Amino acid sequence: MGVRIPRGALIDLAPLRSSPLFRRLWRGQSLSALGGQMTVVAVMFQVWQQTRSTTWTGAAGLAQAVPLVALGLFAGALADRVDRRKFYLLTTAGQAACSLLLALQGFLAPLPAGGVLGIVAAQSCFAAGGGPASRAFVPQLLPRHQLAAGLALRRISFQGAMLAGPALGGLIVGRLGVGGCYLIDAVTFGAALHGAFGLPRMAPGDAAARPGVRGVLDGLAFLTRTPVVRGALLTDLAATVLAMPVSLFPLVNAERFGDDPATLGLFLTAIAVGGVAASLFSGTFTRLSRPGLVMLGASAGWGAALALFGLAPGPWAGLACLALAGAADTVSVVSRGTIVQTHTPNELLGRVGAAEGIVGQAGPDIGNLRAGLVAGATSGAAALVSGGLLCLGAVAAVALTTADLRRTAAPPAAAPAAA
């Protein structure tokens, strides 16, 4: 007799059924995310083929990260001044144009590595604006009680792209070259544009952001005086800065698992598998009444799972720990997004969304650097275990000092739609 899964445990599809606008947007952005992951592989392949340098391949990540961190808050302030729908359409069209430029150079005259990364950086500048605008769509398209389910659906599309995109990208680069991969990415941006064309005007509210630095400072002031949002972002920052494991994977694989390339390739896959599994069963946590406690528990679970990975005696136990970490990460991300968006006024969604994106981008980069430095002085296992324990301590500190975060309640099911 098979195991019967409670219906309420599965991912909640109500946002896709109740909101045609959200459904269309989600479909387009899911395809675009898949194309984006394929392009990551194509860029890495082209830069490696031209330079044979890990410094250059590492610079590809910086070309994406630096514009997002440097421009994010200013782009978020701009998204809080204008029609977010038009802003998103313009920035998405800019990203598509950059993909077309990459495709042209891939087919006709390959640029040197610096030129390729210059286009990647330009594309990331457009993404710095489109990200905050896109995050502000969900609370305007869905009733408040469906917000967590909508964020879980966005998360599973991201995790699905992480699983399938690199593999598809590798196959397409092998058959059509990098130009073909870039061209497919440009086409998937068309799907994202199609998904946004049907949206209504997305005004930022009655109190538009002040221009320039003043608007940015207003957003930072809101974060400072709002314990729930501040605590949610600090928890995520602590988890990623203190316990990010990716830079340690080659070393841990060599130290503990015989330097087998097959095992190394499964590390990131295990995290993504855990994330997809948590998304598929997201009904188990999106329907809970205390998203703050869920987020804190999941962040602690992330740290504990990575500490156990550092102690794992064999590859299968290690992969199981990474899958648990990936599941905890998804629970934490969805719960954090629910908290941030339900406690942020409409006129500040762009700036707060930009801050959330910066935390999500800069935290892992700093965390991977920290892990590498600690491992260089000790060992990969020691870096993982110490990072996991530090994460547990930091999460406990946030929980003890931010009572509002522990007590925050999910929106009631009877709440009216925002748009």
Side-chain angles (χ1 to χ4, degrees), residues 244-310:
M244 200 65 194
V246 176
S247 65
L248 300 175
F249 285 167
L251 177 59
V252 173
N253 190 50
E255 287 179 345
R256 300 181 66 84
F257 305 130
D259 208 15
D260 185 351
T263 308
L264 178 61
L266 290 174
F267 285 167
L268 279 174
T269 301
I271 292 179
V273 166
V276 169
S279 295
L280 287 173
F281 292 94
S282 58
T284 57
F285 61 88
T286 57
R287 294 182 172 93
L288 297 177
S289 61
R290 290 287 185 266
L293 286 177
V294 172
M295 186 203 68
L296 290 167
S299 299
W302 161 265
L306 291 174
L308 291 173
F309 172 61

Side-chain angles (χ1 to χ4, degrees), residues 132-173:
S134 175
R135 287 187 183 92
F137 289 161
V138 180
Q140 292 184 273
L141 292 174
L142 296 176
R144 285 170 63 86
H145 69 277
Q146 289 186 356
L147 182 57
L151 294 174
L153 286 165
R154 284 171 60 101
R155 184 67 180 176
I156 197 171
S157 70
F158 169 77
Q159 293 284 5
M162 287 285 290
L163 269 177
L168 284 174
L171 291 173
I172 291 170
V173 167

Side-chain angles (χ1 to χ4, degrees), residues 73 213-226 230 233 348 351-352 355 358:
L73 288 175
V213 176
R214 290 179 298 171
V216 172
L217 292 177
D218 290 340
L220 293 176
F222 170 79
L223 292 176
T224 302
R225 68 174 183 265
T226 311
R230 184 182 68 238
L233 296 184
L348 285 161
R351 280 162 285 182
V352 175
I358 290 171

